[in-house]
Amino acid sequence: MSGEEYENSVKQYADMVFRIALNECKNQQDAEDMVQNTFLKLLQRKKAFDSEEHQKHWLIRVALNECHSLFTSPWRQRTQSLDAFPYSAGKMPPEQSDLYYAVMELPAKYRHVVYLYYYEEYSIREIANILKVKESTLQTRLMRARTLLKEKMKGVWRDE
């Protein structure tokens, strides 16, 4: 990958990778580190991508793997974050901030699917390819995530 291609990739995908990392890490500093690690791996990659979509899927997968590695490291398992959510929800309407916190409280396997499906607007088939999981498994996870969110949001949103 040439320097110009790398710079274009960083410009095009850095925000997406940051949002994914922030969704996983739940703090800006760790998310920034994961973005750096992801793009370092892109720079070190010798093999060319088949297409833009292949590169995008690869970046998502690497970002998720980097976040997972962070949380499984022995050092991280013995520490606790000083601030669970550094971002104030004050900029969002109350019902959106409640939804945001409810999504952030979901187990990782549900949070990944909700994020990729609703925020990145991937189809179930595309998410299955990215996460290397069966489509039926993802449909079940999405259904369970919706059920969990509905329970958590009970009383906050009026949905007749």
Side-chain angles (χ1 to χ4, degrees):
M1 176 175 277
S2 72
E4 187 176 319
E5 290 173 327
Y6 177 76
E7 284 182 31
N8 289 337
S9 294
V10 170
K11 287 177 186 174
Q12 186 174 1
Y13 298 117
D15 286 339
M16 176 196 68
V17 172
F18 178 75
R19 288 189 311 267
I20 289 169
L22 185 61
N23 183 36
E24 287 301 301
C25 298
K26 295 187 179 96
N27 73 59
Q28 183 178 359
Q29 295 78 20
D30 286 341
E32 288 170 351
D33 289 344
M34 297 306 100
V35 170
Q36 251 183 339
N37 292 349
T38 300
F39 283 104
L40 182 60
K41 287 193 185 241
L42 176 65
L43 186 61
Q44 294 170 340
R45 183 181 163 94
K46 293 180 176 32
K47 191 175 175 185
F49 293 102
D50 299 335
S51 65
E52 286 289 320
E53 201 60 29
H54 179 225
Q55 182 179 3
K56 188 175 180 181
H57 289 182
W58 185 88
L59 287 168
I60 291 170
R61 186 73 252 164
V62 170
L64 289 172
N65 287 343
E66 286 295 314
C67 293
H68 179 72
S69 295
L70 174 71
F71 291 111
T72 58
S73 72
W75 178 84
R76 182 64 182 228
Q77 290 176 351
R78 290 187 300 250
T79 61
Q80 291 188 358
S81 175
L82 294 176
D83 49 356
F85 295 101
Y87 293 106
S88 159
K91 296 180 183 176
M92 294 183 276
E95 54 281 341
Q96 283 186 358
S97 63
D98 291 339
L99 179 61
Y100 171 78
Y101 288 121
V103 170
M104 288 298 112
E105 290 173 359
L106 289 174
K109 65 182 181 180
Y110 300 136
R111 195 173 57 242
H112 293 159
V113 178
V114 168
Y115 179 78
L116 291 172
Y117 187 78
Y118 288 107
Y119 295 97
E120 293 297 328
E121 298 179 350
Y122 278 104
S123 69
I124 294 292
R125 176 169 284 147
E126 291 170 323
I127 298 170
N129 288 332
I130 292 169
L131 299 179
K132 307 278 189 254
V133 178
K134 291 180 184 179
E135 288 180 41
S136 59
T137 303
L138 285 176
Q139 289 171 335
T140 302
R141 287 182 184 175
L142 190 57
M143 180 188 69
R144 289 179 180 165
R146 288 177 186 144
T147 303
L148 288 171
L149 285 172
K150 190 173 184 178
E151 272 303 307
K152 287 182 183 197
M153 298 302 292
K154 202 177 226 177
V156 176
W157 281 7
R158 293 182 200 121
D159 190 24
E160 280 27 86

